[in-house]
């Protein structure tokens, strides 16, 4: 399929409209300068923890518990993530540290 100039312009126009809409929608729904609704504040407090819990479940769902080589790297990396986060309170550092640890364990130690 050959992309014409009109097709490319249409794609760009849709992307612009979606981008502007997603940025303007909160102001349209909640008003410009008023107080933030309580439910938005509640979601702001609760959702980060819920998202992290879902990520943990998703990452560990395929863990093979039949042999230590299947579950031990995941356990060690998970403990490291928790320890790094408690120590530094830096989510990015925790995720990167845990990922590097897990990859090193499964490719070098438990290979």
């Amino acid at each position: 399929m050959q992309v014409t100039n009109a097709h490319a312009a249409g794609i760009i126009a849709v992307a612009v409209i979606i981008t502007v809409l997603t940025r303007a929608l909160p102001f349209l729904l909640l008003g410009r300068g008023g107080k933030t609704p309580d439910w938005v504040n509640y979601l702001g407090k609760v959702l980060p923890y819920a998202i992290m819990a879902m990520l943990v479940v998703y990452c560990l769902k395929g863990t093979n518990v039949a042999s230590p080589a299947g579950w031990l790297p995941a356990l060690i990396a998970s403990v490291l993530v928790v320890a790094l986060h408690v120590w530094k309170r830096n989510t990015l550092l925790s995720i990167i540290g845990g990922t590097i640890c897990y990859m090193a364990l499964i490719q070098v130690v438990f290979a």
Side-chain angles (χ1 to χ4, degrees):
M1 178 176 144
Q2 185 176 356
V3 177
T4 63
N5 288 342
H7 188 224
I11 292 171
I12 292 170
V14 168
V16 167
I17 290 169
I18 297 293
T19 301
V20 170
L21 185 61
T22 56
R23 295 188 183 201
L25 196 59
F27 295 106
L28 295 173
L29 293 176
L30 303 175
R32 276 196 153 279
K35 180 183 174 283
T36 305
D38 292 335
W39 64 272
V40 173
N41 290 329
Y42 173 75
L43 289 176
K45 291 176 185 172
V46 173
L47 278 180
Y49 299 108
I51 291 169
M52 290 304 290
M54 283 189 336
L55 286 173
V56 167
V57 169
Y58 178 77
C59 289
L60 298 178
K61 73 178 167 77
T63 303
N64 180 9
V65 294
S67 70
W71 58 266
L72 199 53
L75 178 66
I76 293 169
S78 298
V79 169
L80 178 68
V81 167
V82 171
L84 281 173
H85 194 70
V86 167
W87 178 43
K88 288 292 188 179
R89 298 276 183 215
N90 186 328
T91 305
L92 186 60
L93 174 68
S94 304
I95 292 171
I96 290 173
T99 302
I100 291 171
C101 174
Y102 180 74
M103 295 308 290
L105 287 171
I106 65 169
Q107 294 194 13
V108 177
V109 179
F110 293 97

